[in-house]
Structures are given as C-alpha cells and as structure tokens.
Amino acid sequence: MRFQLNKVFEHQSVLPNECLAALQLKPGGCYVDATFGRGGHTALILGALDDSATVIAFDQDKEAIRYGQQRFEKESRLSLVHDNFSQMSQYLNQHGVYGAVDGILMDIGVSSPQLDDAERGFSFMRDGPLDMRMDQRKAQSAFDYLSNISEKELHHILEVYGEERYARRIAKGIVQSVKDNRLKNSTLSLVEIIEASGAKRDKHKHAATRTFQAIRIAVNREVEVLEQGLYSGLQSLAIGGRLVVLSFHGLEHRIVKAFIREYRQKDGDIVLKQIGKAQGVSWHERKQNPRSRSAFIRVMERVK
Ligand SMILES: C[S@@+](CC[C@H](N)C(=O)[O-])C[C@H]1O[C@@H](n2cnc3c(N)ncnc32)[C@H](O)[C@@H]1O
C-alpha cells in the first residue's frame, strides 16, 4: 500500500535480522529505538522481549509519533518520545535509566513515508512545498534556508553534504534565482533551477539528488545531531550495552567511523569496542528494497 491520495505510506525496515542479532536482546532488558519511523524495528524488538521489558522510542517527526501511538496503542512496555535523539541522555536521565540501557538502535536519515509524501518537500519527483523539515516544530524550511543563504556558503554545503561535482554552478544558479524571485516554494521549482544551472545526472542519480540531500542535511542539522546523538547514546548505555547504527551515505558513514575511532581510546572516561566489521546489505535485500542499497550497519559495545 503506497499511495498519495489518502496518505498511507509505509516503511520497510533495513537489515532487520542483523539489527536484532546485534542488540543481543535480554528478555527483560531496557532498549531504545532512537529513530522510530514506522516502528518496524521497534516491533521486532518488542516481539523478542518479555513483559518486564522497557522500550523507549524517539522520533522528531510528529507524524511518526502519531502513527506509533495508534499502532502500539495497547503496548504498555513502549514509551514514544517526540524529540530529537540528540536529547536522548537527558530524557533517559529524567526517567531513571541513564547508564542502564541494554541496547540502542539508530537507523538514521529519512523514512519512506517522509520521502513519499510530496507535502513534506523531500521529493524531487513530485511537487510539494520546499519544506524538508523532519521536525515540523522547527521554524526554518528549506525555502527559508535557501532564501537567506550566500552563494559561498551554499557552494560549501553542496560540496560537503552533497558531494556534488557541480556545486559551484548549482549554488550560483540557486542564489541568482532567489534574487530574481524565480525560486518558488515548490520542490519542482528547485529541480528546474538545478537542471538549468547545468548540473548533470550522476550515473543512476537524478541531477537534483545530491543537492536535495545536502539541503535536507543542512535544514535538519543532521551532522551536529548525529554526533550529539551517538555520544548521548553511548553515555546512556550500561557497561556491556550495545549501540547499533545504520547509516546511508558517505558523510554519515564517516561520522560513525570517526566516532568509533574517538571512543575506542582505552584511556577515556567512556570507552567502546567495535563488534565485527561494518556490514552492507545483501543482494537479495537490495533487490527487494532498493532504498536499503547504501546502508551499512556498525555495532559497538560500551566497555567502560
Ligand atoms: C530511516 S527512518 C527509521 C525507520 C524505522 N527504523 C522503522 O523500521 O520503521 C528514520 C526516522 O528517524 C527520524 N529521525 C531522523 N533523525 C532524527 C533525530 N535526530 N532525532 C529523532 N528522530 C530522527 C526520522 O524522522 C524518521 O522517522
């Protein structure tokens, strides 16, 4: 079921068996799903736990939380928290489980419902408002962001967050279109401007893919909150607890790798070890769920 008309959108959970195995679930344990989405991973976790277990799930998107409240209406072991995972340790501290969490899953990035609902503004395939906010309470949409950015800053963002080869010409095209009032509050208006600036397709990628990714990362401050979220998660674990992270593109992979390098130092106050190597998605899963194709799972354990 995936259609625009009555807004039913689904999300297929990535690497489900691998995530469950990596968490090494204890039946009565305390677990955190930092990125609830449509609750696919949460449901699997709950299914492997007994009645004494606790699961706390975060999402900054009010649609995800609303969906979760309906789907898990009768599930007393689950608490749904409408907040950014960068705030995880504060919440867990207030609820008496800071330093006592047995496992945390972070499946970062956007969900299929966010991508598929044109009204959210993440899609360059369907027209919608140029929004891209995962957290609808935040003030600045993608349109506001682009309306106030300098060419130099946008060039940098497109290069670093989008790894976009044509960053210079796209930045120039967008900033000029803002000055000329040609950029409308519409995703397809932005696509037109990107194409007119001379950006080209990249192998199988649409010419707008990397620019949309970069703007989405900037609007949601994804780099900062991922760094904070990883640290917040590690701090919240019990010794021996697991932090399992799914990342989806080069920038995210690099942030997770740098985090692992930093916290595996033996002389720090908080220390982790990496369990196994990063693992990608099988040919079979990629074929059945193309959006999973660039995913990697990394597993860490808190040792100090
Ligand atoms: C890839 S989806 C998760 C899908 C989920 N694992 C499932 O099986 O249904 C990512 C979700 O995390 C949320 N999210 C992304 N970054 C977040 C953050 N910093 N804090 C809280 N939620 C976040 C998004 O709103 C989205 O709903």
Side-chain angles (χ1 to χ4, degrees):
M1 262 196 302
R2 180 172 295 171
F3 39 90
Q4 196 80 19
L5 219 56
N6 65 355
K7 297 219 177 181
V8 175
F9 302 102
E10 287 187 346
H11 181 89
Q12 238 175 301
S13 300
V14 175
L15 291 163
N17 299 327
E18 291 78 358
C19 288
L20 271 197
L23 284 167
Q24 288 199 321
L25 299 168
K26 297 181 201 148
C30 172
Y31 293 91
V32 172
D33 183 346
T35 49
F36 176 80
R38 283 300 179 267
H41 287 113
T42 291
L44 291 171
I45 293 170
L46 284 165
L49 301 177
D50 70 22
D51 286 348
S52 63
T54 307
V55 177
I56 300 158
F58 291 80
D59 208 295
Q60 61 177 329
D61 183 344
K62 72 167 190 248
E63 295 290 340
I65 297 296
R66 200 156 53 197
Y67 176 90
Q69 284 162 345
Q70 282 175 13
R71 176 169 179 185
F72 294 103
E73 198 187 348
K74 299 200 174 77
E75 181 52 82
S76 58
R77 296 172 297 171
L78 175 66
S79 303
L80 282 161
V81 187
H82 183 202
D83 207 346
N84 197 294
F85 58 52
S86 59
Q87 304 305 308
M88 191 163 24
S89 56
Q90 285 90 317
Y91 179 91
L92 298 173
N93 197 12
Q94 282 160 14
H95 290 79
V97 287
Y98 178 77
V101 176
D102 296 302
I104 300 175
L105 175 66
M106 296 175 75
D107 174 12
I108 45 197
V110 281
S111 65
S112 292
Q114 287 166 335
L115 287 170
D116 293 337
D117 182 354
E119 287 304 309
R120 302 300 302 270
F122 290 101
S123 169
F124 48 78
M125 306 298 282
R126 282 178 286 271
D127 201 19
L130 200 43
D131 190 324
M132 300 199 202
R133 286 169 305 161
M134 284 192 233
D135 185 338
Q136 299 91 337
R137 298 166 298 189
K138 294 278 181 263
Q140 195 183 46
S141 69
F143 183 64
D144 302 326
Y145 174 76
L146 292 175
S147 300
N148 294 300
I149 199 166
S150 70
E151 187 178 324
K152 190 168 167 222
E153 196 183 341
L154 184 56
H155 176 197
H156 178 72
I157 290 293
L158 296 180
E159 232 168 33
V160 179
Y161 291 176
E163 301 177 277
E164 171 58 69
R165 202 147 44 110
Y166 304 103
R168 187 180 298 277
R169 57 175 86 160
I170 298 173
K172 195 167 191 257
I174 293 176
V175 170
Q176 192 56 49
S177 77
V178 172
K179 285 186 190 144
D180 302 343
N181 266 330
R182 280 180 293 114
L183 180 68
K184 307 292 176 219
N185 187 10
S186 135
T187 49
L188 292 190
S189 156
L190 179 60
V191 171
E192 236 173 69
I193 287 154
I194 295 167
E195 285 172 336
S197 70
K200 306 225 166 44
R201 279 181 80 86
D202 170 8
K203 283 191 206 143
H204 307 295
K205 287 195 171 113
H206 187 287
T209 308
R210 290 174 182 277
T211 300
F212 269 63
Q213 176 187 304
I215 296 170
R216 182 202 100 193
I217 292 173
V219 166
N220 293 289
R221 296 183 50 253
E222 289 180 42
V223 171
E224 296 90 324
V225 294
L226 176 55
E227 287 170 347
Q228 289 162 8
L230 288 166
Y231 183 63
S232 197
L234 182 61
Q235 277 183 313
S236 306
L237 287 174
I239 304 299
R242 292 270 173 109
L243 177 59
V244 178
V245 183
L246 298 179
S247 53
F248 289 83
H249 55 76
L251 181 62
E252 288 175 352
H253 302 325
R254 285 197 295 279
I255 293 171
V256 182
K257 279 195 273 188
F259 177 78
I260 293 174
R261 267 198 308 275
E262 187 175 349
Y263 287 96
R264 80 177 164 210
Q265 312 295 344
K266 302 261 182 301
D267 51 356
D269 290 340
I270 297 184
V271 181
L272 60 77
K273 69 173 179 197
Q274 184 169 9
I275 307 291
K277 286 189 181 154
Q279 192 189 327
V281 172
S282 69
W283 175 87
H284 180 74
E285 181 168 353
R286 220 176 302 161
K287 190 154 180 276
Q288 185 243 335
N289 178 16
R291 280 182 179 157
S292 72
R293 65 186 173 275
S294 51
F296 272 90
I297 180 172
R298 288 184 173 79
V299 184
M300 295 152 245
E301 189 174 299
R302 181 170 176 187
V303 292
K304 183 176 162 194

